[in-house]
């Protein structure tokens, strides 16, 4: 029997595009595919096994469009930035107004806002897709942006291909108009950076402060993954720490160069948080630490000049687990607060509990704690999570250990930027009488900027104004 003409298409058969196309085909949606290099398309189709029957390979963009039944829905999986704009310009020559193009790459949400507003001659959505290759193939988390009408049109496909949370809910949802989906994905990636950095920091304390080897660290992380910290990133960190180097037979982790790469999405979150005036210091610290990690020559010169850090901390390993729990709560509290501010700024109806629910499975930051976050946010969507009763209890239990860990880091020369930033933010946020009265006094002194008085009296300037 001939296959019905696909209404779904996909452009860009790189690692993520190919995995997504197979996932879509497997869930019973016929799909037409096209890649700029024709041999890639042919190889992909030849390697699709039983799913090949659901897939229509095409050689040209015109061929892709002709192979599909209108109204078409074409997923773009090309590198973010100019390649997306170039592809949209090409598609404009072929598509009808009711056709829909879905940018599923890691676009900057400002680009998605711009593309939505620029009056493309077809419908347009931007969706954040998380979960790496395995997620794309077997169930990613999908954060969709665009009109409600286009979401409704695609929801069946997105929900079918997405990961499912433990309660069976698909991890695909509509985040809001225009760039909302890519924005939520950027915050996801910022949190991804922070989660990874905080795990790297406690790994560093275990390695340099406590003198533990990678094979000793692996089971500790694996044990944490059985408790409050249960998450994909802790799970894979245990696996990374336990891996044996096939070349030397020693721990592979000890052979990996200590310079982290980045494509930029974590940085966008830090920049946007500053623009919105809702800082995300744990994420900012993680971005900073990645940048510092790549300056290996300078770091070596620093060590030669100042000598190695004193190291040798005295600390129970349990403190590190507690510190990680506290740091994680504080990081997410910052991330959700930032999203609340963005919803106001950009006019998006971002649904905080829905975001926490979408992140429960499929994505890189999936974790057990997101269930509790979804519940806390359902009770009060705009509340800073550190003020939610469930997390306040957890923070009361875990911040003493976070304090000890940060203090040990400071005493023994172990850099812990993300954990320290989390603690500093916590201390600022739990202090009713802060120190900005001094800032206001200074501003008035040198710039006559004025200040408000605690007693409400009308006294716009200090006595220095008259001198
Ligand atoms: C995901 C990831 C993914 C990201 C990589 C690399 O959710 O699947 O966030 O989208 O591209 O993790 O990001 P960096 O190169 O910036 O580390």
């Amino acid at each position: 029997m001939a296959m019905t003409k696909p209404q779904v298409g996909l452009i860009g058969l790189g690692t993520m595009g190919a995995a997504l196309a197979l996932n879509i085909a497997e869930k019973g949606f016929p799909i037409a595919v096209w890649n700029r290099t024709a041999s890639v398309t042919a190889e992909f189709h030849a390697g699709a096994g039983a799913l090949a029957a659901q897939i229509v390979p095409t050689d040209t963009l015109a061929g892709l469009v002709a192979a599909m039944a209108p109204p078409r829905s074409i997923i773009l999986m090309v590198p973010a930035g100019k390649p997306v704009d170039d592809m949209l310009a090409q598609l404009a020559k072929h598509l009808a107004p009711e056709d829909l193009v879905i940018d599923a790459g890691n676009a900057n949400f400002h680009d998605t806002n711009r593309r939505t507003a620029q009056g493309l001659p077809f419908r347009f959505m931007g969706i954040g897709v998380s979960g790496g290759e395995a997620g794309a193939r077997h169930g990613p988390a999908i954060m969709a942006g665009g009109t409600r009408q286009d979401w409704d049109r695609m929801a069946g496909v997105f929900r079918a291909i997405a990961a499912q949370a433990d309660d069976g809910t698909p991890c695909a949802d509509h985040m809001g108009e225009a760039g909302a989906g890519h924005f939520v994905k950027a915050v996801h990636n910022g949190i991804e950076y922070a989660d990874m950095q905080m795990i790297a920091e406690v790994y560093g304390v275990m390695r340099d402060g406590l003198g533990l080897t990678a094979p000793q660290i692996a089971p500790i992380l694996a044990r944490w993954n059985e408790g409050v910290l249960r998450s994909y990133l802790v799970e894979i960190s245990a696996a990374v720490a336990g891996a044996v180097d096939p070349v030397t037979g020693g721990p592979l982790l000890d052979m990996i160069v200590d310079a982290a790469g980045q494509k930029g999405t974590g940085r966008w979150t830090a920049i946007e948080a500053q623009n919105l005036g809702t800082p995300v210091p744990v994420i900012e610290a993680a971005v900073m630490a990645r940048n510092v990690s790549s300056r290996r020559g300078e770091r070596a010169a620093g060590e030669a000049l100042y000598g190695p850090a004193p190291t040798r901390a005295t600390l129970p390993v349990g403190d590190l687990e507690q510190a990680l729990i506290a740091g994680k709560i504080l990081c997410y509290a910052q991330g959700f607060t930032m999203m609340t501010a963005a919803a106001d700024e950009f006019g998006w109806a971002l649904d905080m509990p829905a975001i926490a629910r979408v992140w429960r499975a499929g994505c890189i930051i999936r974790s057990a704690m997101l269930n509790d976050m979804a519940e806390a946010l359902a009770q009060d969507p705009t509340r800073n999570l550190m003020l939610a009763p469930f997390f306040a209890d957890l923070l009361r239990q875990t911040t003493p250990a976070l304090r000890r860990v940060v203090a040990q880091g400071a005493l023994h020369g172990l850099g812990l930027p993300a954990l320290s930033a989390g603690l500093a933010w916590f201390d600022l946020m739990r202090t009713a009488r802060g120190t900005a009265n001094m800032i206001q006094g200074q501003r008035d002194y040198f710039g006559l900027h004025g200040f408000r008085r605690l007693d409400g009296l009308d006294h716009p300037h200090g006595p220095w104004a008259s001198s």
Side-chain angles (χ1 to χ4, degrees):
M1 200 180 74
M3 189 208 301
T4 48
K5 257 188 166 187
Q7 282 193 301
V8 179
L10 186 140
I11 295 175
L13 292 168
T15 315
M16 292 291 286
L20 209 58
L22 291 175
N23 186 355
I24 293 168
E26 188 179 70
K27 300 301 174 316
F29 302 96
I31 182 168
V33 297
W34 176 70
N35 194 77
R36 207 175 32 169
T37 315
S39 60
V40 172
T41 314
E43 275 164 37
F44 165 75
H45 192 237
L51 295 175
Q54 286 279 93
I55 298 169
V56 182
T58 61
D59 284 345
T60 60
L61 202 50
L64 174 84
V65 174
M68 297 177 65
R72 305 168 185 84
S73 301
I74 300 180
I75 297 170
L76 281 191
M77 264 302 197
V78 300
K82 191 168 178 300
V84 173
D85 285 313
D86 292 348
M87 193 51 69
L88 294 177
Q90 284 197 55
L91 283 164
K93 297 179 203 145
H94 298 278
L95 295 183
E98 280 313 300
D99 291 334
L100 169 67
V101 176
I102 302 146
D103 177 10
N106 262 336
N108 185 316
F109 78 96
H110 287 298
D111 285 340
T112 308
N113 279 344
R114 169 178 58 77
R115 288 168 186 143
T116 305
Q118 80 186 46
L120 292 164
F122 43 77
R123 308 189 71 85
F124 181 70
M125 292 181 90
I127 66 167
V129 178
S130 175
E133 184 189 3
R137 176 65 186 87
H138 300 291
I142 297 178
M143 295 145 256
T147 63
R148 170 63 62 176
Q149 185 192 352
D150 289 333
W151 160 255
D152 288 343
R153 172 166 156 181
M154 291 306 293
V157 178
F158 292 157
R159 289 202 178 110
I161 64 170
Q164 290 189 355
D166 287 345
D167 64 5
T169 317
C171 290
D173 209 345
H174 184 228
M175 302 286 117
E177 302 275 322
H182 279 138
F183 173 78
V184 173
K185 175 66 181 14
V187 176
H188 165 285
N189 278 38
I191 293 175
E192 173 185 307
Y193 277 42
D195 273 345
M196 292 166 74
Q197 173 64 23
M198 287 188 286
I199 294 170
E201 289 179 12
V202 295
Y203 154 71
V205 175
M206 286 193 266
R207 184 190 69 183
D208 300 333
L210 305 179
L212 300 180
T213 62
Q216 289 172 318
I217 292 168
I220 295 172
L221 293 173
R223 201 172 62 241
W224 293 355
N225 194 44
E226 307 288 310
V228 179
L229 287 172
R230 186 159 65 82
S231 61
Y232 174 69
L233 284 170
V234 171
E235 178 192 329
I236 66 165
S237 303
V240 169
V244 173
D245 176 18
V247 179
T248 61
L252 178 61
L253 188 53
D254 293 345
M255 297 303 293
I256 300 178
V257 173
D258 51 331
Q262 57 179 316
K263 292 204 224 73
T265 38
R267 184 174 61 232
W268 295 343
T269 309
I271 292 169
E272 208 51 47
Q274 291 288 350
N275 286 339
L276 289 165
T278 52
V280 286
V282 181
I283 296 173
E284 287 163 26
V287 175
M288 177 279 281
R290 279 208 194 187
N291 291 331
V292 169
S293 80
S294 64
R295 304 173 89 99
R296 293 182 72 223
E298 263 173 274
R299 288 193 284 116
E303 180 163 326
L305 185 60
Y306 294 103
T311 67
R312 284 296 156 197
T314 39
L315 200 67
V317 165
D319 270 8
L320 295 171
E321 181 183 14
Q322 303 286 301
L324 207 48
I325 293 169
K328 191 175 168 88
I329 297 168
L330 296 167
C331 169
Y332 281 69
Q334 293 162 12
F336 278 103
T337 305
M338 175 188 173
M339 288 193 285
T340 303
D344 282 350
E345 174 73 17
F346 298 108
W348 296 324
L350 294 182
D351 178 339
M352 299 304 149
I355 293 170
R357 282 195 295 271
V358 161
W359 288 350
R360 286 180 302 171
C363 66
I364 303 295
I365 64 170
R366 60 187 183 260
S367 74
M369 216 188 264
L370 279 160
N371 278 314
D372 301 317
M373 290 184 183
E375 267 180 41
L377 291 163
Q379 279 161 27
D380 186 349
T382 60
R383 181 162 53 193
N384 177 341
L385 275 178
M386 77 171 248
L387 303 178
F390 177 86
F391 289 105
D393 277 350
L394 257 180
L395 284 171
R396 270 189 219 100
Q397 289 164 35
T398 55
T399 45
L402 176 61
R403 255 177 230 300
R404 290 192 290 274
V405 170
V406 169
Q408 285 288 309
L411 285 172
H412 298 284
L414 303 160
L416 304 174
L419 290 171
S420 307
L423 180 61
W425 184 79
F426 174 72
D427 282 335
L428 292 178
M429 293 301 293
R430 54 162 296 173
T431 301
R433 175 68 171 156
T435 56
N437 48 329
M438 175 56 95
I439 308 285
Q440 286 298 77
Q442 293 161 340
R443 291 177 72 243
D444 190 52
Y445 195 105
F446 63 65
L448 294 183
H449 294 289
F451 51 79
R452 286 181 297 132
R453 291 177 52 96
L454 285 174
D455 55 14
L457 287 179
D458 185 16
H459 199 289
H461 299 293
W464 45 77
S466 49
S467 61

